[in-house]
């Protein structure tokens, strides 16, 4: 007959080769005693004991997927339990310390070319349990580029179409004046000067390119607004007698 000092269960206490399932209490304690008692009619019982050491499972949590701007270092927000941390990568960047949870990774040249890299956190179990691993993906975003175009001149009765070019981000046009854009999120936006812009004779249009990861990039174009000249003709009237 099998018995336990803990609170786990046997599949059959009358078998020699019994299966024991540790309870949560046994696992917390880290060990449990199991006893096998053999009884025979007319003889004293014979008991033998063993100690079952219960190793805790390793857990690796690399954290959420991350983004970084070009070659900027990035630090993970990771956690682990029941083992030693070891970081690895499928790229060619470098870790500041392979054996800490919140590691800082600097992308390498190949990482930049690929645009992303996988970072793997492995927790090495000190006992008999399996190691555990978890991955995160690091996406590498290029720096935004903004060119608003050349300074220009328009007449006060004209609109102005920008000649902007951009890369690696979303466009937002803004004005130092009070005119309006037909669409402030495209390269070739049409700007209609306001009466105040016309009165000031100039307005600055700014194109900002952003991607939410890198620093925004902005460029200006100065628009000079010339007043339109009007010629008024008056008919000469002649009295006749």
């Amino acid at each position: 007959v099998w018995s336990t000092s803990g609170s786990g269960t046997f599949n059959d206490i009358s078998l020699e080769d019994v299966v024991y399932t540790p309870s949560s209490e046994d696992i917390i304690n880290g060990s449990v005693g199991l006893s096998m008692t053999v009884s025979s009619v007319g003889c004293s019982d014979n008991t033998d004991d063993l100690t079952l050491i219960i190793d805790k499972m390793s857990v690796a949590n690399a954290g959420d997927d991350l983004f970084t701007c070009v070659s900027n270092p990035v630090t993970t927000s990771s956690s682990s339990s029941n083992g030693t941390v070891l970081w690895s990568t499928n790229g060619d960047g470098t870790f500041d310390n392979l054996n800490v949870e919140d590691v800082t990774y600097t992308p390498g040249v190949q990482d930049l070319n690929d645009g992303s890299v996988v970072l793997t956190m492995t927790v090495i179990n000190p006992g008999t349990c399996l190691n555990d691993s978890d991955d995160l993906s690091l996406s590498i975003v290029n720096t935004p580029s903004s060119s608003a175009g050349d300074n220009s001149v328009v007449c006060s009765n004209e609109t102005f179409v920008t000649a902007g070019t951009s890369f690696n981000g979303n466009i937002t046009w803004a004005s130092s004046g009070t005119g309006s854009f037909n669409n402030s999120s495209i390269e070739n936006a049409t700007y209609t000067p306001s009466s105040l812009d016309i009165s000031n004779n100039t307005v600055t249009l700014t194109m900002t390119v952003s991607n939410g990861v890198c620093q925004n990039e902005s460029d200006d174009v100065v628009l000079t607004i010339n007043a339109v000249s009007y010629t008024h003709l008056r008919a000469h009237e002649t009295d006749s007698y």
Side-chain angles (χ1 to χ4, degrees), residues 136-210:
L136 67 82
S137 176
L138 173 61
S139 298
I140 302 167
V141 180
N142 288 323
T143 303
S145 173
S146 173
S147 175
D150 296 331
N151 295 338
S152 297
V153 178
V154 295
C155 293
S156 58
N157 62 345
E158 295 177 333
T159 59
F160 173 67
V161 178
T162 63
T165 55
S166 67
F167 299 96
N168 307 320
N170 298 315
I171 296 169
T172 302
W173 281 98
S175 169
S176 66
T178 56
S180 60
F181 294 95
N182 69 326
N183 187 335
S184 62
S185 61
I186 60 175
E187 291 180 336
N188 304 126
T190 299
Y191 182 77
T192 302
S194 67
S195 56
L196 180 61
D197 296 343
I198 295 169
S199 175
N200 291 333
N201 298 125
T202 185
V203 66
T204 299
L205 309 181
T206 302
M207 183 174 77
T208 300
V209 182
S210 60

Side-chain angles (χ1 to χ4, degrees), residues 52 56 86 110 134 145 152 165 177 182 187 191 195 213 220 226:
L52 176 63
K56 292 182 173 63
L86 179 64
Q110 189 59 51
D134 190 37
S145 173
S152 297
T165 55
N182 69 326
E187 291 180 336
Y191 182 77
S195 56
V213 178
D220 297 333
N226 291 333

